[in-house]
Amino acid sequence: QVQLVESGGGSVQAGGSLTLSCTVSDYTYTSRCLAWFRQTPGGGRMGVACVDSDGTATYADSVKGRFTVAKDQAKDTLVLQMNSLTPDDTAVYICAAKWYSGDCLRSRWYDNWGQGTRVTVLS
């Protein structure tokens, strides 16, 4: 079982920025498919951004141009830089990992999940 530990959440004013990090316990997974999802009360778990094993980054339409996802394989982490935050970005952000490539914004294929870190954007 891969352990994923998120950090960097908090409260920020609308228009501000936050950087989330996810530390991956099994270094072999840092070259595989890693992703950020977010979950809101009463809402489903939505894929935000991911990096597949070939290095391709994919973003949800709602965050394109504002969020940047990247792997830091030297530190076994996945980083999500979030800029121009709006109240609609308020959620628990959860890191996920899977071994096989493809379809990396779909939650159903992930079998390793972190506990999540809360992000609150104030209007």
Side-chain angles (χ1 to χ4, degrees):
Q1 187 76 12
V2 180
Q3 302 298 316
L4 304 168
V5 180
E6 303 93 338
S7 62
S11 296
V12 65
Q13 293 289 332
S17 299
L18 279 175
T19 302
L20 306 183
S21 294
C22 170
T23 300
V24 183
S25 66
D26 184 342
Y27 75 95
T28 62
Y29 270 78
T30 57
S31 64
R32 309 308 298 181
C33 190
L34 300 176
W36 286 98
F37 290 82
R38 67 188 184 191
Q39 188 153 13
T40 55
R45 188 168 288 185
M46 184 192 92
V48 175
C50 59
V51 185
D52 215 328
S53 55
D54 64 355
T56 301
T58 305
Y59 298 90
D61 287 344
S62 59
V63 306
K64 281 180 182 175
R66 301 188 298 121
F67 290 11
T68 303
V69 65
K71 292 179 181 178
D72 184 341
Q73 293 189 239
K75 296 181 179 179
D76 296 335
T77 61
L78 180 71
V79 178
L80 183 67
Q81 175 65 43
M82 306 186 295
N83 298 324
S84 301
L85 287 162
T86 75
D88 287 342
D89 295 315
T90 295
V92 174
Y93 284 72
I94 305 165
C95 181
K98 66 181 177 80
W99 189 256
Y100 296 103
S101 302
D103 217 8
C104 72
L105 280 183
R106 294 282 298 274
S107 62
R108 65 179 292 184
W109 304 119
Y110 287 83
D111 51 1
N112 299 283
W113 294 89
Q115 293 297 308
T117 185
R118 186 174 300 278
V119 171
T120 302
V121 184
L122 307 171
S123 58

